[in-house]
């Protein structure tokens, strides 16, 4: 079964699989496309970084059109994502966010995470440039400037994932207070809030 293949290549134990189902709400393999590293880390008690990265990798593998079967290995997943990453094209920078497909490019962020931003305005410009260079190569790119389309579950999931990445960068750099006014977990809103805060701090 697909569940058996998932356990085999990630190293999930029976107990951890139960947590995936009971605490996170996993029912079928397509559900992984709605989850991210933070969900796995918070929902699977005692999960290691490696396990969460593997789960995130399989998540992206499935989301990009990969299929788990008896012959699929973690190396296959990694190679698939690297190839998908190379296939990112300029359409990811289009103005119509609804045209961005879930399978267009694998995010580099699991191997090239966002740098922490430490709250000092003088360092923000360099951080924002790095943010755009990193995010700009991924399916999250349109969210830098455009809000997610309401009702598009794929884009809305990406928006939430981007929020988690930004929150971690701010948390590691002691700037988490910037996102506290946000009404929801949204990467697009987070970016706008960060830009507004640093713009005010620089004046």
């Amino acid at each position: 079964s697909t569940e058996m293949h998932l356990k085999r290549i990630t190293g999930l134990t029976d107990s951890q699989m139960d947590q995936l189902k009971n605490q996170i709400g996993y029912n079928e393999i397509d559900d992984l496309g709605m989850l991210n590293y933070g969900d796995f880390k918070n929902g699977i008690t005692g999960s290691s970084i490696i396990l969460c990265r593997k789960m995130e990798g399989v998540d992206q593998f499935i989301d990009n059109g990969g299929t788990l079967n008896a012959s699929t290995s973690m190396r296959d997943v990694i190679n698939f994502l690297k190839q998908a990453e190379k296939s990112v094209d300029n359409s990811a920078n289009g103005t119509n966010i609804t045209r961005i497909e879930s399978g267009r490019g694998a995010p580099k962020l699991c191997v090239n995470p966002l740098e922490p931003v430490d709250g000092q305005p003088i360092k923000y410009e360099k951080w924002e440039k790095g943010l755009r260079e990193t995010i700009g190569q991924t399916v999250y790119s349109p969210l830098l400037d455009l809000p997610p389309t309401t009702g598009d579950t794929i884009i809305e999931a990406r928006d939430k994932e981007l929020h988690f990445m930004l929150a971690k960068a701010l948390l590691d750099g002691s700037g988490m207070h910037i996102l506290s006014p946000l009404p929801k977990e949204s990467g697009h809103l987070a970016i706008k809030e960060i830009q507004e805060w640093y713009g005010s701090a620089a004046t």
Side-chain angles (χ1 to χ4, degrees), residues 43-185:
I44 303 176
T45 304
S47 56
S48 66
I49 292 175
I50 292 297
L51 174 61
C52 292
R53 291 302 186 198
K54 285 182 176 180
M55 291 296 297
E56 186 176 45
V58 173
D59 167 8
Q60 294 171 0
F61 175 72
I62 297 298
D63 203 25
N64 280 274
T67 302
L68 286 182
N69 54 47
S71 63
T72 306
S73 67
M74 185 53 66
R75 174 51 55 187
D76 293 329
V77 171
I78 293 170
N79 290 340
F80 180 95
L81 294 178
K82 285 183 177 179
Q83 186 59 45
E85 181 180 312
K86 292 178 182 178
S87 299
V88 176
D89 57 40
N90 292 333
S91 63
N93 294 315
T95 57
N96 187 352
I97 194 169
T98 61
R99 293 183 179 179
I100 303 303
E101 300 172 357
S102 62
R104 190 174 297 283
K108 298 177 86 174
L109 300 179
C110 53
V111 294
N112 185 23
L114 298 178
E115 291 291 330
V117 57
D118 63 6
Q120 298 183 32
I122 195 171
K123 296 182 179 180
Y124 169 68
E125 185 175 347
K126 179 179 179 181
W127 180 82
E128 185 185 29
K129 181 180 178 182
L131 167 71
R132 288 189 172 272
E133 288 176 348
T134 301
I135 298 295
Q137 302 177 61
T138 74
V139 292
Y140 304 101
S141 175
L143 292 167
L144 292 172
D145 302 301
L146 298 169
T149 302
T150 302
D152 188 328
T153 56
I154 295 297
I155 300 302
E156 289 177 339
R158 295 292 187 196
D159 189 44
K160 186 174 181 179
E161 291 168 7
L162 181 57
H163 178 276
F164 173 76
M165 298 171 199
L166 292 166
K168 185 177 187 304
L170 289 168
L171 182 62
D172 289 349
S174 69
M176 190 60 186
H177 65 281
I178 298 173
L179 300 189
S180 58
L182 293 181
K184 63 178 181 178
E185 295 179 336

